[in-house]
Amino acid sequence: MRSCLVSQTLLVLLSVVALTRAQTTTQTSADTTTTESTTQTSADATTQPIATPTTTAWTAPAIFYPFGSAAGDGEQLETGYETFVNFTFSTPFTYFGRKYNYIYVNNNGLLTFNQPIPEAHPFIIPTHGAEDFIAALWTDLDDIGIGKYWFQQHTNGSVLTRATQDINQYFPHIGFTASSVFVATWDYVQTSDMNVFNLRSAPTVTFQAVLISGGGFSFILMNYGDCVSYFPVEAGYDTIGSTDYHVIHYENAGFSIPNLKTTTNVDVPGRWAFLVNNGTENVLGVQIKLSSFLDLTQTGNIEDVLKQIKQVLVNRGASSFFEMKLRNVKKTQP
């Protein structure tokens, strides 16, 4: 017999539990030589390399935060030596309950907190390993061609204003104000010719990770422009023991990745946004009114509905690791 149409009010508790036990692993270090800053501006890409500059300067996608020498960034030139840079924060960044005073910007599109990881091929997320990391676009970038990556922490000015507006748009009702914004940008061109790199007259890989914090909250933004890679690629983030992780994109073979410019979890093509300040436990109460032909007072029915709700949240960018618990169900007549 089919149950009658009823509406219930569910209070769902989402619990994210981050693993805090310390673990260690050994990785190979790389050189940390930083080059002098150079000019970021280059010319529009064409189908064939050209020998003379054009009058039209290349510009980054509009979703990108300011970067490059014009923005006052630190700069690293990469020509195949698997470099990394250790950057010290002026204020710590909290990542899933752990506070970090510095970060490693690796040439391979990876941000790490405990040690550099110059590994060219990405570990498949979830790694269940001993490292917190943010894979803006983890791939063998130094074998693609010539590249530069830039980095800077902002603690005042227009970048903080922009970050505040972005976070309040994507995560309303928090009343967020940014106090620190760390921007790391990778820009690689498939060439061994510096002129081609400057003119951007070959396939490119351009992406960005933005770490935003303030008022006890931490967020990360991933911004994607054109991306081409002939190696395995991974985009997302992972935590110690993989208690929290998210995969934006994974491809074992590597290829041109147009979907990164068009996919999003915040209705802004090419951008992904995540809340990452969770401590040992965060509980969020959600009140939902549902209409269903199922009797949601029956355990089996409510479990099915909770699974569907969780899947929707994960598809919208929530962590895969949280629990949903029912506190109360009330029937109302239509």
Side-chain angles (χ1 to χ4, degrees):
M1 177 178 179
R2 190 171 70 174
S3 302
C4 62
L5 178 65
V6 295
S7 296
Q8 293 90 18
T9 300
L10 307 180
L11 184 61
V12 180
L13 294 181
L14 285 69
S15 176
V16 181
V17 182
L19 186 65
T20 57
R21 60 190 179 88
Q23 304 178 50
T24 59
T25 183
T26 303
Q27 298 289 341
T28 303
S29 295
D31 296 334
T32 57
T33 304
T34 302
T35 65
E36 294 294 324
S37 295
T38 58
T39 302
Q40 171 201 343
T41 305
S42 52
D44 283 329
T46 63
T47 56
Q48 296 293 330
I50 53 179
T52 57
T54 68
T55 57
T56 303
W58 175 84
T59 57
I63 60 172
F64 276 51
Y65 279 47
F67 71 91
S69 57
D73 287 359
E75 176 187 304
Q76 178 68 48
L77 175 67
E78 173 59 56
T79 57
Y81 294 99
E82 297 185 343
T83 60
F84 66 84
V85 172
N86 181 215
F87 184 90
T88 301
F89 294 129
S90 59
T91 56
F93 183 77
T94 301
Y95 186 74
F96 291 100
R98 289 173 285 279
K99 289 186 177 181
Y100 291 104
N101 293 309
Y102 53 86
I103 195 167
Y104 293 92
V105 184
N106 298 273
N107 81 93
N108 54 11
L110 189 65
L111 296 176
T112 52
F113 296 98
N114 292 316
Q115 60 186 323
I117 300 181
E119 176 67 37
H121 286 210
F123 309 145
I124 298 177
I125 298 173
T127 63
H128 302 288
E131 293 291 337
D132 287 332
F133 66 81
I134 300 167
L137 187 66
W138 188 356
T139 190
D140 196 1
L141 286 172
D142 66 296
D143 283 346
I144 290 175
I146 298 176
K148 291 182 181 180
Y149 52 97
W150 290 275
F151 44 89
Q152 182 178 178
Q153 183 179 20
H154 302 264
T155 55
N156 56 62
S158 60
V159 171
L160 265 67
T161 301
R162 179 175 177 179
T164 297
Q165 293 171 346
D166 286 341
I167 296 304
N168 283 319
Q169 177 183 346
Y170 310 143
F171 302 89
H173 312 304
I174 291 178
F176 177 76
T177 300
S179 59
S180 173
V181 178
F182 176 78
V183 182
T185 309
W186 291 261
D187 190 25
Y188 283 68
V189 178
Q190 184 186 328
T191 183
S192 58
D193 186 331
M194 201 65 193
N195 289 327
V196 175
F197 174 83
N198 290 331
L199 295 171
R200 301 184 62 83
S201 54
T204 63
V205 183
T206 308
F207 58 93
Q208 188 175 73
V210 184
L211 281 59
I212 303 171
S213 58
F217 291 96
S218 299
F219 302 88
I220 55 176
L221 302 181
M222 310 279 205
N223 297 324
Y224 296 99
D226 291 324
C227 292
V228 57
S229 175
Y230 305 101
F231 310 99
V233 294
E234 180 108 65
Y237 65 83
D238 203 358
T239 56
I240 295 172
S242 296
T243 56
D244 239 291
Y245 68 89
H246 189 87
V247 179
I248 296 174
H249 179 84
Y250 175 76
E251 173 58 42
N252 188 45
F255 59 103
S256 181
I257 314 168
N259 64 305
L260 286 175
K261 290 199 307 182
T262 58
T263 60
T264 178
N265 66 339
V266 289
D267 295 324
V268 179
R271 171 171 288 176
W272 291 73
F274 304 96
L275 172 68
V276 297
N277 61 270
N278 306 65
T280 56
E281 184 175 29
N282 280 315
V283 178
L284 175 66
V286 180
Q287 194 174 54
I288 305 174
K289 187 175 182 180
L290 300 175
S291 295
S292 173
F293 287 105
L294 299 173
D295 183 353
L296 298 185
T297 60
Q298 295 182 8
T299 302
N301 292 339
I302 190 59
E303 287 179 354
D304 289 340
V305 172
L306 291 179
K307 287 179 182 178
Q308 293 179 38
I309 295 173
K310 179 176 180 178
Q311 188 58 53
V312 171
L313 293 174
V314 170
N315 291 342
R316 295 288 294 177
S319 163
S320 301
F321 275 79
F322 62 83
E323 297 178 359
M324 302 189 69
K325 297 180 180 179
L326 178 66
R327 172 174 290 182
N328 190 22
V329 175
K330 293 181 180 180
K331 289 185 177 182
T332 59
Q333 296 300 321

